[in-house]
Amino acid sequence: TLYFFSGKMGAGKSTRSKEMEQTENAVLLSEDEWLEKLYPNQINNFDDYLSYSKLIKPLLKEHIQRILKVGSNVVLDFPGNTKTQRKWLLSVASEINANHQLIFLNINDDKCLKRINKR
């Protein structure tokens, strides 16, 4: 099964991803970690993020699909807040007929802001 998330900044997507890695005996892949390691100090604004994120998507898609094909669960700590993002996440699973689950974290603004301020 491919698990992915939708929710505001500070809703707990990364925290929940790490929890699900354990509870679902899954491989956790974090877009932030991949981008940070592949492009250190090169993402300085939102446009940079969009460009580099777009570059890694095809390779990561293949990688994720290979993991799913061997029967392992995958938890993606990737943004799934826009229709375009969710469409890509869904395509990862649907192209190989893998199970998938979108988890929506509906957390109020005050709680999200408090979590962001703690960082």
Side-chain angles (χ1 to χ4, degrees), residues 59-113:
L59 177 61
L60 279 174
K61 186 178 202 177
E62 274 185 44
H63 183 60
I64 295 160
Q65 288 175 332
R66 285 184 182 141
I67 296 168
L68 290 166
K69 283 179 184 178
V70 299
S72 293
N73 294 325
V74 176
V75 176
L76 293 182
D77 185 8
F78 281 59
N81 294 331
T82 68
K83 287 182 181 182
T84 302
Q85 291 168 333
R86 288 190 301 276
K87 184 178 177 181
W88 181 81
L89 291 162
L90 180 60
S91 75
V92 173
S94 63
E95 286 178 8
I96 61 167
N97 296 315
N99 293 327
H100 63 279
Q101 186 175 351
L102 167 64
I103 298 145
F104 175 60
L105 301 177
N106 188 15
I107 307 298
N108 69 49
D109 291 345
D110 288 339
K111 194 167 190 177
C112 289
L113 289 170

Side-chain angles (χ1 to χ4, degrees), residues 4-23:
F4 52 95
F5 299 86
S6 179
K8 300 172 199 160
M9 281 182 61
K13 296 181 297 294
S14 295
T15 301
R16 186 75 190 275
S17 294
K18 291 172 188 164
E19 291 169 357
M20 288 192 75
E21 175 185 25
Q22 300 301 313
T23 61

